Amino acid sequence: MTRFFTEADSADVVNARMGPDVEPRLRDVMSALVRHLHAFAKEVQPTQREWESAIDFLTRTGQICGPERQEFILLSDTLGLSMLVDAINNRRPPGATENTVLGPFHVEGAPERAHGANISLDGKGESCLFEGRVLGLDGAPIAGARVDVWSDNAEGFYDVQQPGVQPKWNNRGIFVTGEDGAYRFVGIKPVSYPIPDDGPVGQLLARLGRHPWRPAHMHFLVTAPGWQTLVTHTFVGGDPYLESDTVFGVKQTLVAPFERVEGGETIWRSPFDFVLVPAAAGQ
Ligand code: BEZ
Ligand code: FE
């Protein structure tokens, strides 16, 4: 039976066009997308000009993307979608360390460094000792965990944002835990920084009366065979942007102590233990 398009039946008419052999997950996802998109248009009643400006926004978002820039992920991040998808996929029992966004500045293949090594290669910023243990939910240490860490420099930029200005692998490294599950390295006390805001996402934030800043944080990606991968940050308490992180990445449990050290080798010390959850069978 032919079904012509009507305003009242719009989503049903579109979804009825799908063929009989569509893969079930794709059928579910696309029909929900069409239903929600049509319900959205029915709610906001866009004018033709508004629809054109939305298309223009998405076009510019795509055009600015390249090997070093992923504006669609930034859009997802600033709309809270990345954190929602992260939350859906990383529900964990109490006591386990919470996940947060990976962000665009992780780089595969950082050098593995010795315990206690200094990852700040540009010599800028206030030195900070980061140390703790990787543990299971029962408190037992996890040996052989890879703790991949990265942060901005004292001027608020990651090394990959300033090639040729910062040393390669500045403020990055991988530390592998021993039998005691411990990790330990020297970095800098991170500083808050704005996400790249010279593109369509930055323009949208400005029109929404939102700032582009992230509170100061150290990134951690912790992997160990037989354990769920942990993607997280630790945040510097007292940062002015903790409650208005532009990508909604802050969780109370991830605000870490940053203690001033008197007469030590570093100015700050930030102790933090990571608690992992066993991988589900097949992971
Ligand atoms: C980051 O923390 O590196 C980050 C996360 C999301 C968007 C931009 C930057
Ligand atoms: Fe970051």
Side-chain angles (χ1 to χ4, degrees):
M1 187 186 80
T2 305
R3 282 184 76 188
F4 293 115
F5 189 93
T6 65
E7 182 178 336
D9 284 343
S10 62
D12 290 343
V13 173
V14 172
N15 282 333
R17 287 282 170 90
M18 258 191 276
D21 302 322
V22 178
E23 191 251 302
R25 177 67 177 162
L26 181 62
R27 174 183 294 278
D28 289 351
V29 170
M30 285 309 298
S31 55
L33 177 66
V34 168
R35 267 190 282 110
H36 286 276
L37 210 49
H38 285 229
F40 169 73
K42 285 172 187 182
E43 182 182 329
V44 303
Q45 304 270 306
T47 64
Q48 193 70 22
R49 275 187 69 154
E50 286 170 337
W51 177 83
E52 282 166 15
S53 98
I55 296 292
D56 177 59
F57 174 80
L58 292 174
T59 304
R60 287 184 292 114
T61 299
Q63 284 168 338
I64 204 172
C65 290
E68 303 295 336
R69 181 84 180 244
Q70 228 306 352
E71 195 79 356
F72 276 112
I73 294 186
L74 221 48
L75 180 60
S76 163
D77 293 343
T78 52
L79 294 179
L81 180 63
S82 305
M83 280 303 288
L84 177 59
V85 172
D86 189 75
I88 289 167
N89 285 285
N90 293 287
R91 298 183 186 118
R92 295 195 177 129
T97 305
E98 295 190 273
N99 234 63
T100 190
V101 276
L102 178 69
F105 300 123
H106 177 253
V107 182
E108 286 293 337
E112 193 176 312
R113 301 189 196 275
H115 287 275
N118 191 337
I119 62 170
S120 170
L121 307 180
D122 63 1
K124 295 178 179 167
E126 298 186 353
S127 61
C128 180
L129 174 66
F130 293 83
E131 63 180 345
R133 288 184 307 159
V134 181
L135 306 169
L137 274 170
D138 60 358
I142 299 176
R146 290 173 72 78
V147 182
D148 187 345
V149 307
W150 65 106
S151 82
D152 57 348
N153 76 349
E155 282 148 12
F157 294 103
Y158 289 85
D159 58 351
V160 287
Q161 293 177 287
Q162 296 188 311
V165 175
Q166 292 190 38
K168 195 168 166 58
W169 304 117
N170 192 28
N171 291 304
R172 294 177 191 275
I174 296 177
F175 298 86
V176 181
T177 61
E179 289 306 311
D180 58 358
Y183 73 90
R184 180 182 159 89
F185 66 94
V186 175
I188 60 162
K189 187 181 179 204
V191 300
S192 30
Y193 64 85
I195 61 167
D197 66 342
D198 56 343
V201 170
Q203 289 157 11
L204 179 63
L205 289 178
R207 287 192 61 182
L208 295 175
R210 286 176 54 182
H211 67 69
W213 287 81
R214 295 218 64 205
H217 56 273
M218 174 62 75
H219 289 263
F220 292 87
L221 167 60
V222 185
T223 52
W227 300 87
Q228 279 179 24
T229 294
L230 171 67
V231 177
T232 199
H233 321 339
T234 58
F235 291 91
V236 180
D239 187 285
Y241 299 110
L242 274 181
E243 287 181 11
S244 64
D245 180 2
T246 197
V247 304
F248 306 95
V250 182
K251 292 176 177 173
Q252 186 64 52
T253 58
L254 300 177
V255 179
F258 277 77
E259 304 157 352
R260 243 195 128 86
V261 182
E262 296 305 330
E265 283 178 15
T266 58
I267 301 175
W268 298 92
R269 174 176 173 266
S270 181
F272 200 89
D273 289 342
F274 297 101
V275 179
L276 306 188
V277 175
Q283 277 191 307

